[in-house]
Structure formats: structure tokens, C-alpha cells
């Protein structure tokens, strides 16, 4: 557990002026539509770090209802998974005024909240804590916490304001001007941020420069804290300094593209500016580790498919907590046994066979052959288990239509629903991002050779690929957006809402939900859970985001919504399961699915390793 501590302003008034007036002049401020924004160094650091590692926060927070900014800050912290149970509660917002002028930035802040901690409170605060990060401002409270850290030999780091006293920092992150003005003393890793020039990381391993991500800067408030929190969280999660620096640079760039330190939680995790960013981890997981995560992705696919099967397209679905049979009023799955998978997972198995028979890159003609075999096995064109785009394409193929033309009208989710194995294959066999995307296109081509379907499939495959490789949620979403935007330029162009932009919007809506019932309503009524790729793929990402990539929760909320519940739950389960491995899915679910379908996920995972 990482503990982030601080005591500074929690609301920022950000104003812009064309010139700084003289004493006798009147200046003109350009006030933004919402002049006050939630902020605070420690909360910003905590939210950024929580994308990489579990975080506890100690920082005075206003009572609920004191102000809109205070409530927004509490909501953002809670949604990010930051523990705020130890935060002192105060009766007012501490506000800061920031004025940007051509000459630079001027800042004023109210005095920090007055808080006193007893020795017992300090000891409880540090229980279970493995690392402490100090942020502005320094005071008696910080001296008390620091003394306890020294007594318990808990590693300490610092972001921003460097105090005159120090015990020797593990990591120090500050602006180059703050370093120049401070007597730093002993530090294991020094991270000097230099704005658009990037950051410099100095430790026993050498001197490394991390370039800044290119972005149109709107406001730099919170960029340094976001960089520092993300960097330290990434280091504690096991990333190398180079990898931690890259993901921290991405997070800081996203914040710079919006007004305020914490414009919204969503913008700290995905950001629309990631159109050309492809983040990767410099130290990949071992094959055994990736196989374990692959099993999680495949179990997530199969369990999500089977769990969502009974509610698929019911007008009034029942809230379910376990695997149940297809009800009599099911339009597609009446009479299915509890735990029965559907076309989502069956087609994923067909893709696995296509990989085994392809000599190099995935061959679209072999994909078509295997899908035709599957279609025949489930009753052909008369089967209720086949989606509309796949039926049309398979009929065209049997009539002699070339494989590249058969799927030129397919915009439904038949390609994204089966695509998880493409991401898994690429992750297990050390494919590059671009090579993985080429296989995505081949997997889509026979039935869904359109910009919309390829975009959605690419996003899901990229998320599974990233999860199996050990990337963070921040990195995973960035990769998925890059892949989705790549897909928009592939296949036959057909108008539709941008899958990438709808993922951004869907995740933002989902993380604001407070309960599983609430997020299920959002999935059903706002984001949409229909067969359209533009609905179902964003819904799957929204379910995974709400669940913080816990596949059981992701599957439960998607499977209890209205619409194409089996497909959305299968995609959400694969995205989340790629992080947790099989243990993220209830054992009872796995047992029922294995028994009902004769499914051996360990063997399936190993079949995805090229021989």
C-alpha cells in the first residue's frame, strides 16, 4: 500500500490574462466557464498513482456538500479506488488562485487546514503501508509522519516542495527550479521535470531522459503532480524507470490538454490525445506469466458468454448472480444448459484453429474455412445462434464471393466478440502492436470487413494484448484507443459514431456510477448494449472500467443489463481477465462452464503458443 500525504488547497481558481497590469491599470481576466476546479497536490498524486498501485490518502477533505468542487474531488478519489478513510474532515474548502500571464504564473493560496495528529493516529495511518510519498505543504503533521516512517524504516519519497529537513529520499520528483533551490541531501532516484523538455531520471543505473508527449497545452495545473504520482506508482508496481517515465509522461500530457489538475477521472486514465501514442513496458512478463493471464482472458470470455446468455435480449432481464439456463422466453437461447457458451466463444475457438493452420500471419481464407465449419456444426443458416452479419457473409462465401468482399456490410459485434484470442496470440508470441493489428484485420475480413467492426475488434484485441503483457489500465486504454482509431481507416468505410470516442465517453459515464445497479442502467439506457459495434464495444470497456478490471464484477454488470448481454459480458470478461488470470473468476463459474462445454482452458491457452 502506498500512502500519499499532504495539506494544500483543494480548489483552484484558474484565470488567464493577456498582460499583467501595473498598479494604476486594470487588467482583463479571461475566466473559464467553470472558474473553480477540484485540485490539491496530494489528491492529484493519489489519483495518478492509483492507476498503478493501491493508494491510501491523508489530506484534509471538506465535508460532503460543502462545495461542488469538494464533492467532485471526493467522487474522483473514490472512483479511482483511493482509500480516503484516514483523511481528516474539515468544514471549508482551502482555495488557491492561479493567474496565467505572458510573464508567467502567479499563485496565491489560503492557509492550509489546521490539523493535529496524535501519535496513535500516526501509527494507525501507517499500518500496512510499504511506502510514503510526501507532497506540499510541509508542516507539523508531516514532521510527525516522517518521524514514524524513520522509526519503522518505511521508505519515503517526495514530490514537489522539498523541505529543509530530510532523512534520505527513495525518490524525489520536482521541477528543475525546485531542485536548484533546495538542499536535497541523499536520494536514491532523482526525477527532474522540465515541462516540454521532458524529464531527467538519475539513479545508480545512470542518467535517463524521458521526452514529453506532444500535446496542445491548455493548462499545466497538476501536470507535475500527475507525472510524479504516476511515476512512483509505476516504479512500485515493478516497472523500470524508463517504462515508468513513459507512462508518467503520457498521464501528464493528458492533464495538460484540459483545464484544472483533475478535470475528470476519465482524463487521467485515457485521454483523447492518445491518438498516436503506443506505450509499452520495457521488461515483459515471462511466458508462464503470460500464459496465466491468457487463461484469465479465455475464462473471462467463456464465463462472460455463459453468464450473459440467459438475459440476452430479454425485455425484462432477471438479476442473476450465478450461471443459469436459458429461460423459455429467450429469443435465442431457450433450453440452453446453465453454463453453456454461445457463438462468441465458439467462434473464438475457430480462430484458434485458424492460427494453428496459418503458416505465418493469420490467413483470412483459413479464417473463413473454419467459420464455415463452425456454422455447419450449429445448424447452418437456420441456426438462431448466428449473428446477422456473419450469416450474410457466410452465405456470400458459399456462393463464391471472394473473401475480401463477403463482409463489406458487417458492422455488428460478430468480429469483436471473437477477437480476444488474437490479442492473446500476439501477446504470447511476442508480436509487435502492428503485427497484432494485421491479424485483427485478417480475423475480421471474411465477415466484418468494415471500418466500424475492425475498429471495435482492434480495441478489444489491443486491450487483451496489453493486459496479458502486464501493462497498466492507463496504458491498456491508451493502446485500445490507438487501435480503434487505426481500425477506423481499415476495411470498407461505413458511417458510424467513432468507436474510440464512444469508449472515452462510456468509460467516463461508468466510473461515475455508484452501484452495480446504477452502472447496469447506464450500460442499458445510455451507452447501449445492442448488436452494433458502436454500442457493445464501448459498453464492454465501460463494464471493465467500472469493475476496475475485476472480471467477476465486469461480467456481472454486463450480464445483468439489457441487450446483447452474452457478447458484452464476454468482451468485458476477456479484457479484465487478461489482468487477473483465472483466479479473478469464481471457481464455481469455471467449473460449470468447463463441465457443460467440455472446455479445457489450460489446453486452449497453450494452443495459442506457436509451435
Amino acid at each position: 500500500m502506498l500512502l500519499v500525504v499532504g495539506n494544500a488547497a483543494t480548489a483552484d481558481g484558474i484565470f488567464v490574462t493577456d498582460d499583467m497590469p501595473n498598479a494604476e491599470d486594470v487588467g482583463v481576466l479571461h475566466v473559464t466557464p467553470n472558474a473553480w476546479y477540484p485540485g490539491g497536490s496530494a489528491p492529484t498524486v493519489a489519483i495518478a498513482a492509483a492507476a498503478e498501485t493501491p493508494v491510501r490518502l491523508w489530506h484534509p477533505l471538506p465535508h460532503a456538500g460543502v462545495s461542488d468542487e469538494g464533492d467532485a474531488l471526493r467522487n474522483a478519489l473514490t472512483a479511482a479506488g483511493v482509500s480516503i478513510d484516514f483523511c481528516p474532515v474539515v468544514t471549508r474548502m482551502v482555495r488557491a488562485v492561479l493567474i496565467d500571464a505572458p510573464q508567467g504564473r502567479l499563485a496565491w493560496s489560503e492557509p492550509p487546514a489546521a490539523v493535529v495528529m496524535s501519535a496513535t493516529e500516526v501509527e494507525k495511518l501507517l499500518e500496512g503501508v510499504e511506502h510514503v510519498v510526501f507532497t506540499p505543504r510541509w508542516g507539523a503533521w508531516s514532521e510527525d509522519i516522517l518521524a514514524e516512517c524513520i522509526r519503522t524504516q518505511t521508505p519515503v519519497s517526495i514530490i514537489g516542495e522539498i523541505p529543509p529537513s530530510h532523512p534520505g529520499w527513495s525518490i524525489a520528483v520536482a521541477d528543475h527550479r525546485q531542485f536548484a533551490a533546495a538542499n536535497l541531501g541523499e536520494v536514491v532516484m532523482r526525477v527532474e521535470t522540465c515541462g516540454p523538455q521532458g524529464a531527467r531520471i538519475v539513479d545508480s543505473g545512470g542518467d535517463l531522459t524521458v521526452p514529453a508527449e506532444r500535446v496542445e497545452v491548455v493548462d499545466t495545473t497538476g501536470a507535475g503532480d500527475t507525472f510524479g504520482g504516476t511515476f512512483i506508482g509505476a516504479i512500485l508496481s515493478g516497472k523500470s524507470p524508463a517504462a515508468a517515465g513513459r507512462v508518467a509522461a503520457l498521464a501528464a500530457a493528458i492533464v495538460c490538454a484540459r483545464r484544472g489538475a483533475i478535470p475528470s477521472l476519465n482524463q487521467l486514465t485515457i485521454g483523447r490525445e492518445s491518438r498516436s501514442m503506443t506505450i509499452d513496458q520495457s521488461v515483459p512478463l515471462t511466458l508462464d506469466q503470460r500464459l496465466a493471464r491468457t487463461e484469465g482472458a479465455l475464462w473471462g470470455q467463456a464465463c462472460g458468454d455463459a453468464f450473459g446468455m440467459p438475459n440476452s435480449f430479454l425485455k425484462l432481464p432477471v438479476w442473476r448472480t450465478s450461471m443459469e439456463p436459458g429461460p423459455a422466453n429467450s429469443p435465442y437461447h431457450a433450453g440452453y444448459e446453465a453454463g453453456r457458451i454461445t457463438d462468441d466463444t465458439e467462434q473464438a475457438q475457430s480462430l484458434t484453429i485458424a492460427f494453428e493452420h496459418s503458416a505465418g500471419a493469420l490467413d483470412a481464407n483459413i479464417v473463413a474455412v473454419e467459420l464455415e465449419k463452425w456454422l455447419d456444426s450449429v445448424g447452418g443458416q437456420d441456426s438462431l445462434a448466428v449473428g446477422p452479419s456473419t450469416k450474410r457473409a457466410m452465405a456470400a462465401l458459399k456462393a463464391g464471393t471472394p473473401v475480401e468482399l463477403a463482409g463489406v456490410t458487417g458492422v455488428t459485434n460478430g468480429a469483436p466478440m471473437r477477437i480476444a484470442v488474437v490479442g492473446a496470440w500476439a501477446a504470447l508470441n511476442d508480436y509487435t502492436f502492428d503485427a497484432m493489428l494485421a491479424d485483427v484485420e485478417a480475423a475480421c475480413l471474411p465477415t466484418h470487413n468494415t471500418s466500424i467492426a475492425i475498429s471495435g475488434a482492434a480495441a478489444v484485441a489491443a486491450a487483451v494484448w496489453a493486459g496479458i503483457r502486464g501493462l497498466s489500465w492507463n496504458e491498456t486504454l491508451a493502446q485500445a484507443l490507438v487501435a480503434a482509431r487505426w481500425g477506423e481507416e481499415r476495411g470498407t468505410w461505413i458511417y458510424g459514431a467513432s468507436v474510440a470516442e464512444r469508449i472515452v465517453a462510456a468509460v467516463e459515464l461508468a466510473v461515475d456510477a455508484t452501484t452495480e445497479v446504477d452502472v447496469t442502467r447506464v450500460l442499458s439506457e445510455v451507452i447501449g448494449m445492442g448488436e452494433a459495434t458502436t454500442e457493445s464495444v464501448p459498453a464492454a470497456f465501460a463494464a471493465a472500467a467500472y469493475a476496475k478490471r475485476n472480471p467477476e464484477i465486469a461480467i456481472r454488470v454486463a450480464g445483468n443489463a439489457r441487450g446483447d448481454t452474452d457478447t458484452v459480458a464476454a468482451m468485458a470478461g476477456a479484457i479484465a481477465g487478461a489482468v487477473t488470470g483465472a483466479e479473478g473468476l469464481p471457481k464455481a463459474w469455471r467449473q460449470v462452464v468447463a463441465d457443460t462445454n467440455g472446455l479445457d482452458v489450460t489446453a486452449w491457452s497453450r494452443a495459442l503458443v506457436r509451435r
Side-chain angles (χ1 to χ4, degrees):
M1 172 71 73
L2 171 66
L3 172 64
V4 178
V5 296
N7 187 0
T10 46
D12 298 323
I14 301 172
F15 305 91
V16 179
T17 183
D18 289 334
D19 60 340
M20 191 65 68
N22 295 318
E24 66 277 10
D25 296 331
V26 174
V28 177
L29 293 174
H30 305 288
V31 182
T32 57
N34 177 12
W36 291 99
Y37 297 87
S41 181
T44 303
V45 168
I47 289 174
E52 304 287 338
T53 193
V55 175
R56 176 184 299 168
L57 174 67
W58 185 94
H59 189 286
L61 294 179
H63 275 294
V66 166
S67 69
D68 290 342
E69 312 88 72
D71 290 345
L73 180 59
R74 283 178 166 274
N75 290 340
L77 288 163
T78 302
V82 175
S83 170
I84 60 174
D85 294 342
F86 288 85
C87 291
V89 177
V90 293
T91 57
R92 66 180 181 89
M93 295 288 292
V94 176
R95 298 180 181 271
V97 174
L98 311 175
I99 298 180
D100 286 323
Q103 299 92 324
R105 165 166 281 189
L106 297 176
W108 295 267
S109 175
E110 293 181 286
V115 291
V116 178
M117 300 182 72
S118 68
T120 301
E121 289 174 324
V122 174
E123 289 179 9
K124 288 183 177 179
L125 176 64
L126 286 168
E127 286 179 359
V129 169
E130 298 171 346
H131 199 108
V132 178
V133 173
F134 289 85
T135 70
R137 300 188 53 148
W138 201 264
W141 60 269
S142 43
E143 295 287 356
D144 292 340
I145 295 173
L146 181 57
E148 182 65 11
C149 290
I150 295 172
R151 187 186 72 80
T152 58
Q153 298 184 324
T154 303
V156 292
S157 293
I158 185 86
I159 294 176
E161 180 182 287
I162 300 174
S165 59
H166 52 80
W169 306 106
S170 293
I171 304 172
V173 185
D175 182 271
H176 63 288
R177 290 162 295 190
Q178 292 172 310
F179 275 124
N183 177 20
L184 182 61
E186 183 181 350
V187 61
V188 176
M189 184 181 296
R190 168 181 170 139
V191 183
E192 184 177 297
T193 58
C194 305
Q197 284 73 47
R200 180 185 175 205
I201 304 170
V202 182
D203 65 1
S204 60
D207 192 326
L208 170 69
T209 298
V210 177
E213 292 286 354
R214 289 186 297 175
V215 67
E216 183 178 346
V217 175
V218 174
D219 174 38
T220 61
T221 305
D225 290 327
T226 298
F227 184 98
T230 304
F231 181 85
I232 291 177
I235 289 292
L236 295 180
S237 73
K239 285 186 173 63
S240 68
R246 287 197 299 272
V247 69
L250 169 62
I254 290 169
V255 170
C256 287
R258 296 290 186 272
R259 191 77 68 190
I262 311 173
S264 78
L265 173 67
N266 157 259
Q267 291 151 8
L268 289 180
T269 55
I270 50 180
R272 301 167 194 265
E273 285 65 41
S274 59
R275 297 177 190 275
S276 62
M277 301 175 187
T278 53
I279 312 301
D280 202 353
Q281 176 172 310
S282 60
V283 183
L285 302 180
T286 67
L287 178 58
D288 284 345
Q289 289 172 318
R290 283 176 281 155
L291 276 167
R293 287 177 176 239
T294 298
E295 288 193 29
L298 299 182
W299 274 122
Q301 163 98 31
C303 288
D305 188 8
F307 184 93
M309 174 269 291
N311 277 339
S312 183
F313 291 105
L314 293 183
K315 183 177 181 180
L316 297 173
V318 176
W319 188 273
R320 305 176 196 273
T321 58
S322 61
M323 297 289 171
E324 296 185 21
N329 63 336
S330 171
Y332 303 113
H333 306 130
Y336 275 29
E337 295 178 71
R340 165 80 182 272
I341 59 174
T342 75
D343 56 338
D344 307 78
T345 307
E346 290 168 348
Q347 287 189 31
Q349 292 172 315
S350 294
L351 276 186
T352 302
I353 298 171
F355 270 118
E356 294 172 350
H357 292 168
S358 298
L362 186 61
D363 188 323
N365 287 288
I366 295 176
V367 172
V369 169
E370 295 304 325
L371 289 176
E372 285 182 15
K373 290 179 182 178
W374 166 79
L375 180 64
D376 290 340
S377 74
V378 297
Q381 291 290 330
D382 295 329
S383 173
L384 293 176
V386 187
S389 295
T390 300
K391 271 189 178 180
R392 286 194 300 270
M394 290 290 101
L397 286 167
K398 287 199 173 187
T401 303
V403 69
E404 63 272 12
L405 298 178
V408 294
T409 61
V411 295
T412 55
N413 53 26
M417 76 183 189
R418 67 186 181 229
I419 208 71
V421 294
V422 175
W425 175 273
L428 289 172
N429 295 293
D430 294 316
Y431 276 32
T432 64
F433 190 67
D434 290 342
M436 182 267 296
L437 292 177
D439 279 350
V440 167
E441 187 170 13
C444 295
L445 194 144
T447 59
H448 294 77
N449 189 16
T450 65
S451 54
I452 292 173
I454 296 172
S455 176
V460 175
V464 172
W465 176 84
I468 292 172
R469 290 172 62 86
L471 274 66
S472 71
W473 185 229
N474 184 357
E475 296 168 301
T476 295
L477 285 168
Q479 295 285 34
L481 292 178
V482 171
R485 289 174 177 123
W486 169 89
E488 291 172 357
E489 305 301 322
R490 314 304 297 179
T492 302
W493 183 84
I494 293 181
Y495 169 74
S498 166
V499 174
E501 295 300 326
R502 282 185 58 82
I503 289 172
V504 172
V507 169
E508 186 166 4
L509 288 168
V511 298
D512 285 340
T514 56
T515 66
E516 291 188 14
V517 172
D518 186 29
V519 77
T520 297
R521 181 194 61 78
V522 170
L523 291 171
S524 303
E525 300 177 12
V526 183
I527 298 168
M529 292 270 294
E531 288 179 331
T533 295
T534 50
E535 287 190 6
S536 57
V537 169
F541 277 91
Y546 170 80
K548 297 181 174 63
R549 290 208 290 186
N550 178 322
E552 179 182 358
I553 297 174
I555 288 169
R556 190 163 60 236
V557 297
N560 282 304
R562 285 187 294 119
D564 201 350
T565 50
D566 55 325
T567 295
V568 177
M571 292 187 292
I575 291 168
V579 176
T580 64
E583 295 306 312
L585 284 304
K587 187 176 181 180
W589 288 8
R590 288 181 278 141
Q591 190 64 57
V592 171
V593 171
D595 291 346
T596 300
N597 302 283
L599 186 61
D600 185 340
V601 166
T602 298
W604 185 9
S605 299
R606 295 192 177 277
L608 290 167
V609 179
R610 184 180 291 281
R611 288 161 175 77

